[in-house]
Amino acid sequence: MNVVSLVGVVGRDPDLSYTRGGTPACVVILGVDRPGKRDTTDWIRCQSYGKTAEWLAKWMHKGDRLGLTGALCCDQWINRDGQKQHMWYILIDRAEFVERKRDSADSAAVRAYQAAGGVAYEDLETGEDISQDDLPF
């Protein structure tokens, strides 16, 4: 089983780009405290595609706390010098706000919505809104 769950701080604003096929792709660098090591932070590259990538680019900013689940992946290639290179990253399956760094109009609107009855859930595959009554828990 290849499942990774992380909660950390966004190290810089997410980087949104598009694949050759037009699919949104986003890279987030997440700072995660290392268990048992005081004052040690690991900076982990996390990638997402599609609606999740668009959501991250629109709503996440440097300093915000982000929770995510995904899979540990490794890309390998041969560089121009003929040396084998590799890059480890988390392929994001699901991401969610944990805490905003600063108070803004967006976060005030989110708090107002939550106070009025709950959090908006969205199906990232279809983009359809899912009501609280549709959730299994």
Side-chain angles (χ1 to χ4, degrees):
M1 182 180 331
N2 183 357
V3 178
V4 176
S5 295
L6 299 172
V7 175
V9 177
V10 176
R12 64 176 187 226
D13 285 344
D15 181 25
L16 181 66
S17 60
Y18 294 87
T19 64
R20 289 183 186 135
T23 302
C26 187
V27 173
V28 175
I29 305 300
L30 196 66
V32 179
D33 293 334
R34 189 179 300 183
K37 296 282 187 172
R38 187 176 178 146
D39 301 326
T40 301
T41 302
D42 292 313
W43 295 96
I44 302 169
R45 180 185 176 94
C46 304
Q47 294 181 200
S48 63
Y49 297 92
K51 295 262 185 196
T52 303
E54 291 174 330
W55 180 85
L56 285 167
K58 181 175 181 179
W59 296 106
M60 291 277 93
H61 301 284
K62 179 180 178 178
D64 293 341
R65 289 185 58 79
L66 173 67
L68 61 85
T69 58
L72 181 62
C73 299
C74 183
D75 285 345
Q76 297 180 354
W77 67 94
I78 304 295
N79 69 11
R80 293 181 209 189
D81 299 329
Q83 297 175 337
K84 188 174 186 178
Q85 301 287 307
H86 64 275
M87 176 180 59
W88 290 93
Y89 63 95
I90 305 300
L91 180 59
I92 299 172
D93 180 50
R94 181 183 173 130
E96 59 187 61
F97 279 121
V98 175
E99 181 181 25
R100 295 288 270 177
K101 175 185 173 187
R102 64 208 165 284
D103 191 33
S104 68
D106 291 338
S107 61
V110 169
R111 283 195 309 277
Y113 183 80
Q114 290 171 338
V119 178
Y121 294 91
E122 183 180 13
D123 181 346
L124 296 177
E125 292 298 319
T126 63
E128 297 176 15
D129 288 336
I130 299 173
S131 73
Q132 292 275 2
D133 297 334
D134 294 332
L135 297 175
F137 48 89

